[in-house]
Amino acid sequence: DTAVSQTPKYLVTQMGNDKSIKCEQNLGHDTMYWYKQDSKKFLKIMFSYNNKELIINETVPNRFSPKSPDKAHLNLHINSLELGDSAVYFCASSPQGTSGNTIYFGEGSWLTVV
Amino acid sequence: DAKTTQPTSMDCAEGRAANLPCNHSTISGNEYVYWYRQIHSQGPQYIIHGLKNNETNEMASLIITEDRKSSTLILPHATLRDTAVYYCIAHFVFGPGTRLSVLP
């Protein structure tokens, strides 16, 4: 059973398109995250939701919009894709809050914008 | 948010202990230190965490200094499969990590 699953695993799309990456966790966790790992391999947090409420929103273009229909899901919508959006996007979850809790990561979604 | 600093890369001979240091001098009193690793571009994998006391689990040991300004992750018998990027984090912010290469 996959704890944190994200789809699609691979996505190749053209500039200007709008795409979504879905994430689901079956761990019963209250907090979910989206991280971006670019070509330099730095893992940067983008968003964090706790019980469907946005609690962390780092400096991310407003073309990126997270949506949490329930606490087990956190989807990432990206509008007007740009070449620089090419990266691996990791979804993650933790039991509660953002301190003192282990973060469990999904396997990543590889986005390539051409 | 506490920031951590780690060496960019380290080598270790297979079968020997790998000791990975981390400085976290700005960590607050109630912040845990977490260690993760990332093999190739898989999702980061949790290894161990601690607050004040040293910790050990089936994967590794974590030694935290008394002043909590630094810690060391110890892989007691490194194998080739331990080659990965190791991240020491406090709170949820990842730094560039240490690329550990286990050599045959």
Side-chain angles (χ1 to χ4, degrees):
Chain A
D1 290 341
T2 304
V4 181
S5 59
Q6 44 185 121
T7 56
K9 187 172 178 63
Y10 300 100
L11 180 57
V12 180
T13 187
Q14 291 186 326
M15 280 194 304
N17 284 349
D18 303 337
K19 291 294 178 185
S20 296
I21 306 172
K22 295 183 177 180
C23 179
E24 175 182 6
Q25 53 95 4
N26 62 6
L27 298 167
H29 289 168
D30 289 335
T31 304
M32 296 186 72
Y33 312 78
W34 276 108
Y35 282 82
K36 177 181 179 181
Q37 189 168 41
D38 58 22
S39 57
K40 294 182 179 178
K41 304 299 184 183
F42 288 174
L43 262 171
K44 295 182 180 178
I45 190 166
M46 301 172 67
F47 303 102
S48 175
Y49 270 71
N50 188 46
N51 276 322
K52 301 185 350 179
E53 288 190 23
L54 180 66
I55 56 173
I56 295 172
N57 184 354
E58 293 297 309
T59 307
V60 177
N62 57 15
R63 298 181 295 104
F64 290 77
S65 55
K67 288 191 172 48
S68 181
D70 55 63
K71 74 173 192 177
H73 296 83
L74 181 62
N75 303 322
L76 184 65
H77 301 277
I78 315 172
N79 296 324
S80 303
L81 279 156
E82 301 178 356
L83 293 176
D85 298 332
S86 296
V88 185
Y89 292 85
F90 289 100
C91 179
S93 71
S94 65
Q96 58 184 23
T98 54
S99 67
N101 285 288
T102 302
I103 301 175
Y104 296 83
F105 286 84
E107 287 305 305
S109 294
W110 297 66
L111 173 65
T112 302
V113 182
V114 297
Chain B
D1 293 338
K3 291 186 178 178
T4 61
T5 56
Q6 301 175 249
T8 303
S9 63
M10 294 181 63
D11 292 339
C12 176
E14 186 178 18
R16 305 297 292 268
N19 298 302
L20 292 90
C22 177
N23 288 324
H24 34 77
S25 57
T26 60
I27 196 170
S28 63
N30 61 352
E31 274 189 313
Y32 284 78
V33 177
Y34 279 81
W35 283 83
Y36 292 80
R37 72 179 183 184
Q38 189 175 25
I39 298 173
H40 298 301
S41 290
Q42 297 176 15
Q45 176 191 23
Y46 165 79
I47 300 173
I48 199 168
H49 73 283
L51 184 62
K52 295 181 181 178
N53 300 321
N54 297 338
E55 302 288 345
T56 296
N57 63 20
E58 65 278 5
M59 290 183 68
S61 295
L62 176 61
I63 308 298
I64 304 174
T65 58
E66 194 169 340
D67 61 10
R68 297 204 342 112
K69 291 185 177 181
S70 65
S71 60
T72 300
L73 178 75
I74 301 173
L75 307 178
H77 305 287
T79 70
L80 299 179
R81 285 179 292 184
D82 292 323
T83 293
V85 178
Y86 286 78
Y87 299 98
C88 162
I89 76 167
H91 215 42
F92 49 81
V93 179
F94 283 75
T98 296
R99 181 171 296 278
L100 175 68
S101 298
V102 180
L103 307 174

